[in-house]
Amino acid sequence: MLSKLLERIVARQLKSYLQLFDLLQFLQSGFRPGHSTETAVLRVMSDLEAVDSGDVAALVLLDLSAAFDTVDHGILCRRLQVTFGLDGPVLPGSIRIFTNGHSASDVACIVYRSPFVQLVCGVQQGSVLGPILSARC
């Protein structure tokens, strides 16, 4: 329970910081107040309407279903420090605590469990910070 409360506090501070210093991508719709999938679809529709007037448009679709699983912890922390200027003891420390020390086991059944391995990638799904952090990499 305490960890969820701390996550929410860090998430609120991180969102405020990113908005205050205008560090979010102009076209990013996810995890932004006042933006949604509808905003993104309207942008795509607007770009496609430009084709009717003779302009050229390209549409690239990406499958980000595994985005949570592929976030490298070291790259995430460096990117938060270098690109977004998050340095100092509190926030980077909070992010490191959130990403480090997790392990997983591939197979478990009644009589057998594969060995646990330390995870170096991925953010916790279902967490408050997970979507924010996976969008930063």
Side-chain angles (χ1 to χ4, degrees), residues 10-117:
V10 171
R12 185 176 297 136
Q13 290 176 341
L14 182 58
K15 285 180 183 179
S16 295
Y17 176 83
L18 293 172
Q19 289 173 353
L20 178 67
F21 292 101
D22 198 27
L23 296 173
L24 297 172
Q25 294 293 322
F26 172 71
L27 297 176
Q28 179 179 332
S29 292
F31 319 111
R32 294 182 72 177
H35 296 267
S36 65
T37 49
E38 184 178 341
T39 308
V41 169
L42 288 173
R43 175 66 185 189
V44 169
M45 293 300 292
S46 173
D47 289 346
L48 291 177
E49 286 175 6
V51 173
D52 291 338
S53 63
D55 289 340
V56 176
L59 178 63
V60 177
L61 302 173
L62 302 172
D63 178 8
L64 300 176
S65 59
F68 286 93
D69 301 331
T70 59
V71 175
D72 181 276
H73 299 164
I75 292 172
L76 173 63
C77 289
R78 279 190 303 278
R79 183 155 161 92
L80 289 172
Q81 289 176 334
V82 173
T83 305
F84 298 105
L86 296 174
D87 205 3
V90 178
L91 193 53
S94 305
I95 302 303
R96 282 191 186 92
I97 289 168
F98 175 76
T99 57
N100 290 342
H102 298 284
S103 59
S105 173
D106 289 333
V107 177
C109 64
I110 296 171
V111 294
Y112 175 77
R113 175 184 291 274
S114 63
F116 282 90
V117 293

